[in-house]
Amino acid sequence: MDSHKKWYLIISSLLFALMTMCIKMLAGKLPVYELLFFRFSGGMIICLLADRTCYRFAENSFKMLFLRGLYGTFAMFCFFYAVNYIPISRLSALHFNYPLYEVIFSAIWIKERPAKIIYLSLPVSLIGIYFITNPEAGLISAIFSGSYREYSAGLLS
């Protein structure tokens, strides 16, 4: 991986943590819908300013783009809703387990076969997360995030 790509990942993680902290501070003062509006507005501005030549989408993929947007929006709604009721540490633990759901949805959306060890480790991981976090709406956020990320894999060509 190129060093500048590593920095993008680090900056992305820091910005996500900063966003979560800001949302937690504003929780209860603003409705979830307003928080989502400003979050998506800011994201749209950043995307318009970014270099878009690295994204190439398959033609005639409106349905996939629509579903990706729908899953992503629902995941963020659940995340922002959960911020009001769950401590940030537990919410982050729930949200960042989306790779587990990516394994499930990769088999559904893009017909990818997981390694045999995954069949044992996936249920153990899911049970462990359930006992550690006592999940609420944050779990739904992780499930839809995993689905939307796998749907994105089918869009990029």
Side-chain angles (χ1 to χ4, degrees):
M1 180 181 286
D2 297 338
S3 66
H4 71 279
K5 291 180 182 178
K6 291 177 185 177
W7 282 109
Y8 288 154
L9 289 173
I10 291 169
I11 291 169
S12 172
S13 296
L14 289 173
L15 289 175
F16 192 82
L18 181 65
M19 178 196 66
T20 305
M21 185 182 72
C22 291
I23 296 303
K24 187 65 172 179
M25 290 187 322
L26 293 171
K29 297 175 184 168
L30 292 174
V32 173
Y33 298 108
E34 287 183 27
L35 294 173
L36 279 172
F37 173 78
F38 288 114
R39 193 273 186 202
F40 284 125
S41 297
M44 187 174 72
I45 291 169
I46 291 170
C47 286
L48 290 174
L49 296 174
D51 179 22
R52 290 173 278 156
T53 60
C54 62
Y55 298 109
R56 299 214 180 353
F57 295 104
E59 292 183 22
N60 301 325
S61 60
F62 176 77
K63 178 183 173 190
M64 293 176 72
L65 285 170
F66 177 78
L67 287 174
R68 179 184 189 264
L70 187 67
Y71 287 145
T73 302
F74 192 68
M76 289 309 296
F77 175 78
C78 290
F79 183 81
F80 280 34
Y81 179 79
V83 164
N84 290 319
Y85 303 103
I86 300 174
I88 291 178
S89 58
R90 190 179 337 155
L91 181 62
S92 293
L94 285 172
H95 182 72
F96 285 116
N97 71 45
Y98 69 82
L100 299 174
Y101 303 104
E102 282 188 58
V103 170
I104 295 168
F105 287 108
S106 68
I108 296 170
W109 296 127
I110 60 175
K111 309 295 187 233
E112 184 176 274
R113 303 299 300 167
K116 292 182 180 182
I117 190 71
I118 299 295
Y119 291 111
L120 175 64
S121 62
L122 186 64
V124 171
S125 300
L126 293 173
I127 291 169
I129 288 168
Y130 180 80
F131 286 124
I132 290 170
T133 60
N134 191 14
E136 294 157 3
L139 183 62
I140 297 171
S141 170
I143 292 170
F144 275 90
S145 289
S147 174
Y148 126 90
R149 289 180 197 319
E150 276 310 310
Y151 224 82
S152 298
L155 293 175
L156 298 175
S157 55

